[in-house]
Amino acid sequence: MVRISCRWLLISLLLLSPLFAKAEQARYTTDAVGFVPYWIGLGPIPVSAAAAVGPGLDTPLFAGEATLKPHAEDVTTINGKKYHWRLVTVKDGKPYVDLGQAGFGNAANVAALLVSYVVLDKDQNVTVLWGCGDSGALYVNGKPLGRFVGKRWVKPDTEAAVNVPLHKGVNTFMLKILCSDDFYWGGVLRLADANDVALKNITIGLGPSEVNDPGARSWPDADTGQEPLAGPIATYLIASQIGYNTSEEKLAIATSLRERAWKSVEIRDAATDKTVYTVPTDGGSIEPTGQYKNVNQYISRVYFGPFRTPGRYYLYHAETGVKSMPFNIGDNVYEPVFKEAARAFYYQRSGINLEEKYAGKWAMAAYHDIETAKKGQVAEWDGRVWASGVGDKVIDPTPRDVRGGWYDAGDPNKYTKNEVFAHNLLLQTWDMNKKYLKDNNLNIPESGNGVPDLLDEVRFTTDFLFRIQRADGAVFDRVAMGSRMGDHGEKLDPPTRIAEPTSGATLCAISAWAWAAAVWKEGGWDPKFADRCLQAAEKSWKYMQAHPAPWPLGADGKPRSVGSIDSGANDPAGYGDQNMWKSHAASALYRATGKPEYKAIAEAFLKNSPPVELGYKVLTDQVCHNYMLSKEPDSALVKSYADRLAKFVHDYRDDASRTSKKLAYGSEHTLQYHWGSDGAVALRTGVMLWWASYFAPKEEMPSYVQAADEYMQYLLGRNPTRWAYITNLQHIGATRSPQVMFHTENRGMDEPANKWLTPDADHPNRIGAFPGYLVGGPAENIGDFLFDPYKVQNDFIRMEPSVMYQAPLVFLTAYLAYGSQEYRH
């Protein structure tokens, strides 16, 4: 996570009664409708390091602190020093203020008091929602309402107090903030009536500014409520943004701050706004599930499976006026998602120009100079892991052509492990859906050549793997391309560096070539290519027989890393269990050749495979997959493995079932959130479908398909953030789909004068993220996803895509679009 400096940013939109506005006219300036665009602030006030955390919130800085009612320019004395209360106004009409630049300090161990007034024309009980990013305490009319201690990212609805009494006339809100470290922090404060509807124009928001700190998270006006500030707060109808297959159970989520009886929900035609169905009057049901504390909401599930009329609709709740984002109902709503997800690999290609015929408004010259990519040199790794580059000390100056393959993620590097992971998962996608996947359906340069487009995309990286195989069979670990553009847009064309070979990279490449050899041979697509793949695989296998893993070794004789991800002391280059990769390669070779020596290795592994996990690092399902599709597999061994995996699969399916109360939204990440959680959801769901397709009784298949639908809906926006986690799908129906992501090649495409791709008169809309990319998603908890992904693209944890996420998305959407159709009724 990028560490960000301590800047405090605020907005204030307060409705004053005409009487109050007139009384204060001499002191304050209001606009025509009574808005007061400021807070009154006091600070910075030095505090001790000890007091800057929890206890400091409860220690008054001066007598009567909580009951103060200051005006601008009032003076308060604290520890013998005089402090002036100052107006904190919006800057240039923008809904934020940088308190550091405004003179409130920008250092650790300081405090500030911020006061705002709300005027009501009657006594009223309200709901107050608030949060603070470091340590903060809130007081309303002198009474403590709540407090936060410790650094945390601010998110709306973190704390909620219901039935807070406000009186007719002026009510005082004071927010006391302590900054205990040089850390970025802010807050939110929102007021709602008994129906969870924002009190018009008295929603108060504090948040960071992406202008003064481009890496900051921000909470603009529209995100402090639902659409306008006067709309409902934390009361939403949340549906899939792409839609539902006609036969799906069709679940939407109704949320509220307090327990609410959702008596009915309407389905309205998106074009005419006419009600066409009412739940539960016409069918379906509304089922309360209680409070979901992670997001401080009460949840009701709205099931509308009986409604099957194709079209575009939205859900509507008449009592509050809440409506969902629009969605489609049709016989195959997932096919467009699959095509966008699969086409994302074309945008991710390295070493080619993205032609307008295929890339549309994202057409651009090759991100890296093609001639430079033909002159890669092997360098000694100098310790860099994530930064572009390997090292500058060349240990083999022989020019090597390392064009091709896919960029790994948002960074312009190519890690062999990750390349192969994606390559093989796309081949597994082919194996499971091959009767549906055709030529000329993805609009890529190879379309129309008689080979299914998905296989053409796979081959683009198979060919790259040939280029990083050394003559003796060892395979290089990584290709680092550097950055094409400098900070000011100048073209750099840095040298292309290649990391040393590793045993992990070599074993991975063997599995890729052998799997490709089997697929091309079985399909009769290109016998010469199949033979070349097999020859490459067996050459590297022979090298591994002479040089058993793991390697390379250091001077001490112990395995060492050459810079790829997740490396450990006994794990060169982060390849995990190298026996697993050896067995993976052997199972693919057995499928391609039928040779008994490969069969023996695969069988030994399957008999004693690692603990089963539906995750990235345990690929035993692929070992089993190739083994059972090969010549004369041991059916008892396959069944034994399948039986061990069954419990994990059943539990994962049942977590998303209608009867489960484990996941309040019907589906989401079922384990602790982590970096890449969206990719894990897609992969686990895909493994579940793989197992079910080969081992589940046919009569149970609809339950697995329904569970997969539920997890897919989570990725498509039916989640607490209300964001679809797949980029730029507006053209196929996703209303709230990120327009930016952390991606070196694609960065800046939403900027009018970006330095990567300058718009011109013929292409005025060359903006926005490449479509169809699955971003990382929530990393620590469900609420930590960015609230303004339109403007914030520097969060590489949550907003970066990866081929490690993208391939599982393709696998999942392909099966939901095609392989699952026979189980939908």
Side-chain angles (χ1 to χ4, degrees), residues 446-633:
E446 298 83 2
S447 293
N449 66 357
V451 177
D453 283 0
L454 188 67
L455 293 185
D456 283 324
E457 191 60 61
V458 170
R459 182 169 176 169
F460 188 80
T461 282
T462 318
D463 287 336
F464 164 70
L465 295 175
F466 293 140
R467 297 190 183 106
I468 61 171
Q469 183 186 37
R470 207 166 59 183
D472 59 5
V475 175
F476 294 105
D477 181 79
R478 169 182 175 180
V479 174
M481 309 292 285
S483 176
R484 187 186 73 171
M485 295 295 185
D487 292 339
H488 304 290
E490 67 274 19
K491 191 173 182 180
L492 298 179
D493 288 338
T496 300
R497 299 301 190 210
I498 307 168
E500 304 162 59
T502 65
S503 56
T506 305
L507 290 169
C508 283
I510 294 169
S511 72
W513 287 317
W515 200 333
V519 167
W520 260 262
K521 179 180 178 181
E522 292 162 1
W525 304 115
D526 185 340
K528 290 184 179 180
F529 176 70
D531 288 344
R532 185 184 180 194
C533 288
L534 186 56
Q535 290 169 11
E538 294 202 300
K539 176 192 282 187
S540 290
W541 182 266
K542 183 178 180 180
Y543 186 88
M544 289 302 307
Q545 294 296 92
H547 304 83
W551 48 268
L553 303 178
D556 58 1
K558 295 181 179 180
R560 65 180 178 87
S561 171
V562 295
S564 288
I565 59 174
D566 300 328
S567 57
N570 296 308
D571 179 14
Y575 283 83
D577 181 353
Q578 297 210 15
N579 184 51
M580 179 187 70
W581 281 107
K582 179 180 179 181
S583 303
H584 192 293
S587 68
L589 280 166
Y590 177 51
R591 178 179 172 185
T593 68
K595 293 181 179 180
E597 58 264 37
Y598 302 133
K599 179 181 183 182
I601 294 171
E603 288 182 340
F605 179 79
L606 288 173
K607 288 176 183 177
N608 301 286
S609 60
V612 176
E613 177 201 356
L614 305 184
Y616 285 110
K617 294 185 178 180
V618 179
L619 301 177
T620 54
D621 63 293
Q622 291 192 349
V623 178
C624 183
H625 175 88
N626 276 317
Y627 173 75
M628 71 183 186
L629 293 183
S630 61
K631 181 181 179 181
E632 298 179 353

Side-chain angles (χ1 to χ4, degrees), residues 104-361:
F104 273 74
N106 193 26
N109 303 323
V110 295
L113 300 177
L114 302 165
V115 174
S116 196
Y117 299 112
V118 171
V119 181
L120 299 179
D121 57 6
K122 63 180 179 181
D123 292 344
Q124 186 173 354
N125 288 347
V126 303
T127 294
V128 179
L129 299 96
W130 75 288
C132 188
D134 198 324
S135 297
L138 178 66
Y139 300 83
V140 177
N141 291 328
K143 297 180 180 180
L145 192 66
R147 63 200 291 276
F148 269 155
V149 176
K151 292 188 287 286
R152 64 184 73 191
W153 291 113
V154 179
K155 58 178 184 287
D157 315 336
T158 302
E159 293 290 328
V162 299
N163 295 320
V164 176
L166 298 185
H167 54 251
K168 180 180 180 179
V170 180
N171 295 268
T172 305
F173 285 73
M174 187 193 83
L175 182 60
K176 180 179 183 178
I177 302 178
L178 294 178
C179 187
S180 58
D181 200 351
D182 182 17
F183 194 80
Y184 192 88
W185 48 288
V188 288
L189 174 61
R190 300 187 286 165
L191 309 179
D193 63 17
N195 287 320
D196 299 337
V197 175
L199 294 177
K200 186 172 177 60
N201 298 326
I202 59 174
T203 293
I204 308 166
L206 297 77
S209 160
E210 74 285 350
V211 175
N212 291 319
D213 194 333
R217 303 177 179 208
S218 66
W219 296 269
D221 290 354
D223 255 4
T224 58
Q226 179 171 340
E227 303 305 334
L229 291 177
I233 286 180
T235 299
Y236 306 118
L237 282 168
I238 306 175
S240 165
Q241 291 184 39
I242 294 297
Y244 304 85
N245 278 293
T246 52
S247 61
E248 273 188 59
E249 201 162 44
K250 302 187 192 72
L251 169 64
I253 301 298
T255 73
S256 56
L257 285 173
R258 67 198 77 202
E259 202 160 11
R260 174 188 298 280
W262 293 77
K263 296 179 180 178
S264 67
V265 172
E266 300 172 17
I267 300 177
R268 292 188 169 187
D269 187 286
T272 66
D273 293 321
K274 291 182 179 179
T275 300
V276 297
Y277 196 89
T278 300
V279 180
T281 304
D282 298 325
S285 63
I286 302 176
E287 302 174 8
T289 62
Q291 189 179 34
Y292 187 32
K293 294 184 179 180
N294 284 353
V295 289
N296 199 28
Q297 294 173 343
Y298 282 91
I299 302 296
S300 290
R301 296 178 180 177
V302 181
Y303 291 98
F304 55 105
F307 182 70
R308 293 188 166 203
T309 305
R312 187 159 178 81
Y313 306 96
Y314 64 88
L315 303 179
Y316 181 75
H317 184 237
E319 182 181 352
T320 59
V322 172
K323 63 181 182 180
S324 73
M325 296 176 195
F327 54 85
N328 299 316
I329 292 178
D331 290 336
N332 194 344
V333 296
Y334 296 125
E335 185 173 38
V337 185
F338 160 72
K339 289 184 177 181
E340 294 296 345
R343 276 182 49 74
F345 279 94
Y346 170 70
Y347 299 119
Q348 203 68 5
R349 289 184 183 188
S350 172
I352 67 165
N353 299 319
L354 296 181
E355 301 177 49
E356 187 168 4
K357 179 179 179 180
Y358 311 108
K361 61 186 178 183

Side-chain angles (χ1 to χ4, degrees), residues 65-137:
E65 170 188 89
T67 59
L68 54 78
K69 295 183 179 179
H71 294 90
E73 302 308 323
D74 285 354
V75 177
T76 296
T77 301
I78 302 175
N79 295 329
K81 183 177 179 179
K82 292 183 178 180
Y83 293 87
H84 292 264
W85 288 89
R86 289 174 287 169
L87 296 182
V88 183
T89 62
V90 297
K91 181 179 179 181
D92 300 328
K94 299 295 194 301
Y96 61 81
V97 172
D98 185 321
L99 290 186
Q101 292 184 358
F104 273 74
N106 193 26
N109 303 323
V110 295
L113 300 177
L114 302 165
V115 174
S116 196
Y117 299 112
V118 171
V119 181
L120 299 179
D121 57 6
K122 63 180 179 181
D123 292 344
Q124 186 173 354
N125 288 347
V126 303
T127 294
V128 179
L129 299 96
W130 75 288
C132 188
D134 198 324
S135 297

Side-chain angles (χ1 to χ4, degrees), residues 414-455:
K414 296 180 285 192
Y415 307 96
T416 304
K417 172 189 175 182
N418 296 6
E419 295 274 312
V420 168
F421 175 89
H423 175 281
N424 289 353
L425 198 51
L426 294 187
L427 287 177
Q428 195 172 11
T429 302
W430 164 259
D431 284 338
M432 292 182 63
N433 301 276
K434 56 187 173 185
K435 68 179 179 181
Y436 304 102
L437 300 173
K438 307 296 182 183
D439 182 24
N440 210 27
N441 70 339
L442 294 180
N443 187 33
I444 58 177
E446 298 83 2
S447 293
N449 66 357
V451 177
D453 283 0
L454 188 67
L455 293 185

